[in-house]
Amino acid sequence: MNRRPFIKKLFQTTGGIYLASQSSLLFGNNSNRNDEKLGIALVGLGSYSKGQLAPALLETKHCYLAGIVTGTKEKESIWAEKYNIKKENIYNYDDIIHNDDIDIIYVVLPNSMHAEFTIRAANAGKHVICEKPMATSVEDCKKMIAACKKANKMLSIGYRLHFDPYHDKIMRIGQNKVYGPMDVEAEFSFMLKDPNSWRTKKSLAGGGPLMDLGIYALQASIYSFGELPTSVSATNTTKDSEFFKDIEGSLDWELTFPSGKANCTTSYEKSITARLTHNLDNEGQVKLQNAFYYNGIKGTTPDGDISFKPVNQQALQMDAFALNILKNTPTLVPGEMGLRDNYLIEKIYESAENNGKVIELNDVPNILDIRK
């Protein structure tokens, strides 16, 4: 299928994300703009941009919403009015290089498009935040990293939970063995009912719930231990193979770490579940309920409840990246971390396709978020 019919079809099936190679990019001047506040353009106006990222950019201190990509006049007027984006500042995407209002491109598209638009953003001389998963293959991840390095631009992956206080606490507890040795259990699942969702199409999603939800459980396992896994085994547990013809509907996997094991589950066939538990050798638990939600997380430890004031994870994530750029400091969640996770995802699928065969992980990309 050539590109133009493909993009037209994508527009029809993804609720209006229309991104031909001649997409229009709206930019706007903002009265708050100054040298300490960087402009972000959102590429992809689906539910995550609309419901989370754009509202979060009203709360950020070091960046603001300066532009959007859209192919529909209706969205132009709605977004321009709501976020003070001037309608007359319309540019071809490739002309973004000439617009000094835009410092950062945030790629919020179906997974299969992450690589292309990250590389295009880097080639246009912009820093990039790419939503997770970073890409649909390790090779694409490598190309994205190379493009950003060649352009001397920073690349960050949208791992919002690294900026959430509950998960920061979990990292510190686990990595410092506060309660001694442990094993980990992690699950993120919800019921996917729309057969026309781009999430059900491997060509767009790259896989099933492992790519979309399971990556949170994978991440949580690694940052709970602060270690790289040494082996993995996985089982495809899909129940409705008629509905999930192109992707897995459910998947279980076990990761072995130097100091423990992590048992993980992800599914599009279960009611919503988001849990992260450290099962301690002394029979206690450290536990997060609603663990991977945007808000409403609750935590408990053997010493009592964990409690923090509510935060906007996305605002903290984007502000942190803006400060990384302004201060020339490394991001907590670089492209190399996304590459690592795509490598592990490929190994999980390899094991599941081979009836749970144990896969030794001898060459995991060595990137960790270590908190002391």
Side-chain angles (χ1 to χ4, degrees):
M1 185 181 292
N2 65 42
R3 183 166 179 77
R4 190 168 297 278
F6 168 76
I7 293 294
K8 185 175 182 180
K9 182 176 177 62
L10 179 64
F11 172 65
Q12 293 170 342
T13 60
T14 60
I17 303 175
Y18 177 63
L19 288 163
S21 56
Q22 298 298 313
S23 302
S24 295
L25 181 60
L26 275 73
F27 303 108
N29 294 322
N30 187 300
S31 59
N32 294 324
R33 175 68 195 233
N34 56 58
D35 291 339
E36 296 297 319
K37 205 160 189 176
L38 302 183
I40 291 183
L42 298 177
V43 180
L45 303 184
S47 60
Y48 190 57
S49 285
K50 181 180 178 180
Q52 301 299 326
L53 295 177
L57 282 161
L58 296 176
E59 300 182 29
T60 46
K61 298 177 181 178
H62 305 288
C63 54
Y64 72 103
L65 179 58
I68 55 175
V69 173
T70 182
T72 62
K73 292 295 182 182
E74 293 82 3
K75 286 189 177 183
E76 287 182 14
S77 58
I78 293 171
W79 281 71
E81 181 177 350
K82 185 171 184 179
Y83 295 103
N84 194 29
I85 302 172
K86 293 185 177 180
K87 296 175 67 174
E88 60 267 26
N89 289 343
I90 300 176
Y91 295 83
N92 178 281
Y93 182 86
D94 296 317
D95 288 338
I96 192 172
I97 192 171
H98 302 299
N99 192 301
D100 293 335
D101 286 342
I102 306 301
D103 304 288
I104 302 165
I105 297 293
Y106 199 141
V107 179
V108 201
L109 297 166
N111 304 338
S112 64
M113 303 178 78
H114 288 182
E116 176 190 351
F117 281 85
T118 293
I119 293 169
R120 288 177 66 180
N123 290 342
K126 306 302 177 183
H127 303 281
V128 185
I129 306 174
C130 179
E131 248 319 296
K132 59 81 198 161
M134 181 175 173
T136 56
S137 72
V138 167
E139 288 307 309
D140 275 350
C141 292
K142 291 178 179 178
K143 292 176 184 177
M144 295 158 73
I145 292 170
C148 290
K149 287 184 176 179
K150 182 179 179 180
N152 196 29
K153 296 299 173 183
M154 296 183 67
L155 172 60
S156 186
I157 309 304
Y159 290 134
R160 58 186 167 80
L161 294 177
H162 284 256
F163 306 92
D164 180 89
Y166 287 92
H167 284 263
D168 178 76
K169 183 73 170 180
I170 284 290
M171 293 181 204
R172 296 178 191 276
I173 289 174
Q175 293 176 16
N176 290 288
K177 304 293 186 289
V178 171
Y179 297 105
M182 65 184 187
D183 287 327
V184 169
E185 293 182 10
E187 178 182 0
F188 198 7
S189 301
F190 69 68
M191 187 74 70
L192 181 63
K193 298 181 180 180
D194 180 6
N196 296 316
S197 169
W198 67 267
R199 289 180 169 85
T200 66
K201 298 172 176 59
K202 190 173 182 179
S203 62
L204 295 177
L210 176 59
M211 301 288 286
D212 183 24
L213 307 175
I215 194 169
Y216 288 97
L218 175 62
Q219 271 256 316
S221 300
I222 296 170
Y223 61 60
S224 287
F225 285 108
E227 299 171 349
L228 296 172
T230 58
S231 68
V232 64
S233 62
T235 305
N236 187 328
T237 56
T238 302
K239 295 178 181 178
D240 190 347
S241 57
E242 286 299 312
F243 187 94
F244 297 102
K245 294 179 180 179
D246 203 25
I247 59 168
E248 81 279 3
S250 301
L251 192 71
D252 296 343
W253 71 97
E254 181 181 83
L255 292 164
T256 300
F257 291 85
S259 64
K261 292 184 181 294
N263 286 284
C264 303
T265 296
T266 190
S267 178
Y268 281 153
E269 301 180 283
K270 299 174 62 176
S271 58
I272 189 164
T273 304
R275 59 185 178 88
L276 173 59
T277 304
H278 296 178
N279 291 315
L280 309 171
D281 278 10
N282 64 11
E283 298 184 358
Q285 286 186 328
V286 176
K287 188 172 184 178
L288 291 185
Q289 296 176 323
N290 306 328
F292 308 118
Y293 288 6
Y294 302 137
N295 48 53
I297 300 174
K298 297 180 180 180
T300 59
T301 76
D303 293 325
D305 292 343
I306 304 171
S307 182
F308 294 101
K309 292 181 180 179
V311 300
N312 188 311
Q313 298 165 351
Q314 290 83 2
L316 292 177
Q317 170 201 328
M318 290 185 285
D319 263 345
F321 188 53
L323 285 174
N324 291 144
I325 296 168
L326 291 167
K327 297 184 177 182
N328 194 27
T329 55
T331 171
L332 279 176
V333 286
E336 288 80 3
M337 184 177 285
L339 167 64
R340 178 203 69 191
D341 293 346
N342 266 88
Y343 167 89
L344 292 170
I345 285 170
E346 288 187 1
K347 296 301 181 181
I348 291 169
Y349 280 134
E350 180 183 344
S351 175
E353 290 166 2
N354 287 276
N355 301 313
K357 177 184 176 181
V358 176
I359 305 293
E360 298 298 326
L361 303 172
N362 299 317
D363 53 353
V364 185
N366 189 11
I367 181 75
L368 288 167
D369 182 353
I370 302 296
R371 310 205 183 187
K372 299 298 183 183

